[in-house]
């Protein structure tokens, strides 16, 4: 990518499968603009629904193994409006302490009580479920945590939710097209029946190179959301180009699952090389590869040195992550060739030695 007149290797993008600029996806978006123009005519319930919207919802539902789906105008909106619609005052939301900001904003909108549990900690989740008693409950977790790159312990979470009869919502923003043998996400990753996650949320702005968010689930759930989720009912439909691009991207992912496997292979080699040099990359197994630094200043210095050498990476510090774990966050995507990954490792090694992170 080009920035300030210079070329950089972009290790900060969420376009995991490198689909931004994919010919087929671009062409479907252009066709949609030619046929329908750029606007959406209003909200979905009135004049905003084109056949394209329903086709995308049905394509997502089929891809994810659900009965139906609802598409929102952003991933942020999908979380806020869905949580806000499913629980209310007197109910209890139980969520991982690292859940995404859009989920937290949904808590506030809902007016429900909130119990957070320690990150990915099943014992603490069980404590929360016991404490919630028989109030209406909703358990919510990210599938992949975007700062650490680790994966939620879904088999354990599902088992607890079933034992305590609590519905489960999972945010697949960083796992759609990334986890599982064919990119279907966290249930495929763990070999679980997708039905065991009641509310399957995701975004169309990361691996899927568009904008928008979705929830997939039972017909009853989608009907309820289309009649209660205010961020869907009272905000304009996503535009034809966004929707056509998203649907084309799902087709591409489905037709070429080897992309998902190739991303995993490249990520694994990259992470192993960083670990072998002595970097702490935490315990993740996804394309989000953090490089833990000794201080916020060191994370800033690492980012500056890398950028001087043409590697675009960002430092992440408190309050986005705990004060004790400042880091540089690097993200692998399929636009990176093997040579690009080698270059990134060399640049990181040089920066690490220059600022004392490596001996
Ligand atoms: C990015 C993200 C969202 C929001 O999606 P947008 O499409 O950017 O609005 C929601 N949840 C998680 C975990 C995310 O990373």
């Amino acid at each position: 990518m080009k920035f300030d007149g210079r070329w950089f290797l972009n290790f900060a993008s969420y376009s995991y499968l490198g689909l931004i600029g994919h010919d087929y996806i671009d062409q479907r978006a252009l066709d949609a603009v030619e046929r329908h123009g750029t606007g959406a005519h209003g909200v979905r319930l009135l004049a905003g629904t084109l056949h394209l919207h329903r086709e995308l919802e049905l394509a997502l539902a089929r891809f994810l193994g659900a009965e139906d789906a609802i598409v929102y105008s952003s991933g942020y909106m999908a979380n806020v409006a869905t949580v806000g619609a499913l629980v209310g005052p007197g109910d209890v939301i139980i969520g991982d302490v690292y859940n995404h900001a859009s989920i937290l904003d949904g808590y506030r909108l809902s007016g429900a009580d909130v119990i957070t549990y320690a990150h990915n900690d099943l014992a603490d989740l069980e404590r929360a479920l016991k404490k919630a008693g028989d109030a209406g409950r909703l358990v919510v977790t990210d599938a992949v945590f975007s700062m650490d790159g680790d994966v939620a312990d879904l088999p354990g979470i599902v088992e607890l939710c079933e034992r305590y009869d609590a519905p489960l919502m999972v945010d697949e923003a960083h796992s759609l097209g990334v986890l599982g043998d064919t990119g279907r996400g966290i249930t495929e990753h763990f070999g679980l029946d997708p039905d065991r996650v009641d509310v399957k949320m995701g975004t169309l702005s990361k691996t899927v190179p568009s904008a928008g968010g979705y929830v997939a689930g039972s017909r009853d759930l989608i009907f309820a959301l289309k009649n209660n989720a205010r961020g869907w009912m009272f905000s304009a439909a996503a535009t034809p180009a966004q929707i056509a691009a998203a649907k084309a991207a799902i087709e591409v992912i489905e037709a070429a699952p080897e992309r998902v496997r190739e991303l995993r292979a490249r990520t694994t080699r990259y992470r192993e090389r960083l670990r072998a040099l002595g970097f702490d990359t935490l315990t993740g197994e996804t394309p989000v590869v953090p490089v833990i630094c000794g201080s916020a200043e060191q994370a800033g210095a690492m980012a500056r040195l890398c950028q001087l050498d043409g590697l675009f990476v960002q430092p992440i510090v408190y309050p986005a992550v705990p004060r004790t774990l400042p880091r540089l966050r690097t993200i692998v995507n399929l636009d990176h060739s093997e040579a690009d990954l080698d270059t990134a490792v060399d640049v990181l090694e040089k920066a690490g030695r220059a600022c004392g992170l490596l001996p």
Side-chain angles (χ1 to χ4, degrees):
M1 64 166 210
K2 203 167 180 187
F3 177 71
D4 260 1
R6 282 179 57 213
W7 283 97
F8 286 86
L9 268 180
N10 185 356
F11 270 64
S13 168
Y14 289 139
S15 183
Y16 294 112
L17 294 181
L19 294 179
I20 294 177
H22 187 284
D23 285 341
Y24 175 75
I25 298 171
D26 284 2
Q27 196 53 53
R28 292 276 80 79
L30 290 167
D31 292 348
V33 171
E34 252 174 27
R35 181 144 179 226
H36 301 286
T38 55
H41 300 286
V43 301
R44 289 284 304 277
L45 282 173
L46 299 177
T49 298
L50 298 170
H51 66 98
L52 288 172
H53 292 93
R54 265 318 270 164
E55 282 168 21
L56 174 60
E57 288 171 343
L58 295 173
L60 283 165
R62 197 177 38 74
F63 183 68
L64 298 168
E67 283 177 357
D68 202 353
I70 174 173
V71 166
Y72 296 85
S73 50
S74 77
Y76 176 89
M77 182 72 88
N79 274 332
V80 171
T82 300
V83 174
L86 294 182
V87 282
D91 295 332
V92 179
I93 300 169
I94 298 170
D96 188 291
V97 67
Y98 283 3
N99 277 350
H100 189 262
S102 54
I103 301 175
L104 310 189
D105 290 354
Y107 298 172
R108 282 194 230 165
L109 178 69
S110 75
D113 294 327
V114 177
I115 308 178
T116 51
Y117 60 93
H119 177 52
N120 228 348
D121 182 332
L122 294 180
D124 205 35
L125 168 58
E126 180 156 26
R127 174 200 60 87
L129 283 160
K130 283 191 173 131
K131 189 167 164 203
D134 52 13
R137 289 148 301 155
L138 180 67
V139 175
V140 191
T141 182
D142 286 12
V144 168
F145 293 86
S146 59
M147 296 300 155
D148 289 20
D150 57 336
V151 180
D153 184 353
L154 195 70
I157 294 170
V158 161
E159 199 267 320
L160 280 172
C161 287
E162 289 172 356
R163 179 137 45 92
Y164 286 86
D165 200 22
L168 173 62
M169 171 166 172
V170 176
D171 176 337
E172 300 242 41
H174 297 275
S175 49
L176 177 73
V178 172
L179 286 188
D181 207 36
T182 63
R184 283 171 166 78
I186 191 166
T187 50
E188 186 182 29
H189 175 76
F190 284 114
L192 295 172
D193 182 343
D195 273 349
R196 296 175 74 184
V197 173
D198 305 280
V199 185
K200 295 176 259 293
M201 178 273 166
T203 173
L204 304 174
S205 66
K206 289 176 177 135
T207 298
V208 173
S210 182
Y214 67 84
V215 166
S218 71
R219 238 171 244 117
D220 286 350
L221 171 73
I222 303 310
F223 182 81
L225 290 175
K226 288 189 169 176
N227 287 279
N228 291 284
R230 296 172 65 81
W232 188 81
M233 298 162 71
F234 298 109
S235 186
T239 65
Q242 287 170 262
I243 295 294
K247 173 147 182 290
I250 297 295
E251 291 167 22
V252 168
I253 296 169
E254 196 159 22
E258 64 276 8
R259 283 173 185 274
V260 180
R261 296 193 277 271
E262 181 57 30
L263 175 65
R264 189 163 310 129
R266 285 193 207 170
T267 301
T268 302
R269 278 197 296 276
Y270 169 79
R271 179 183 275 108
E272 278 169 2
R273 287 201 55 198
L274 291 182
R275 282 190 184 154
L277 284 171
F279 285 119
D280 176 2
T281 61
L282 299 179
T283 58
E285 47 187 314
T286 69
V288 176
V289 183
V291 173
I292 299 298
C293 298
S295 63
E297 293 69 36
Q298 195 177 47
M302 283 288 288
R304 270 191 307 281
L305 289 171
C306 288
Q307 292 187 10
L308 281 174
D309 275 341
L311 182 67
F312 186 74
V313 281
Q314 294 286 13
I316 312 263
V317 300
Y318 180 83
V321 292
R323 232 183 259 282
T324 51
L325 291 169
R327 69 198 63 186
L328 199 66
R329 190 175 55 161
T330 70
I331 305 175
V332 179
N333 74 53
L334 263 197
D335 278 335
H336 303 142
S337 64
E338 292 288 356
D340 291 339
L341 293 169
D342 288 345
T343 302
V345 171
D346 291 345
V347 169
L348 286 161
E349 179 181 10
K350 185 175 152 209
R353 299 210 190 280
C355 64
L357 181 55
L358 292 178

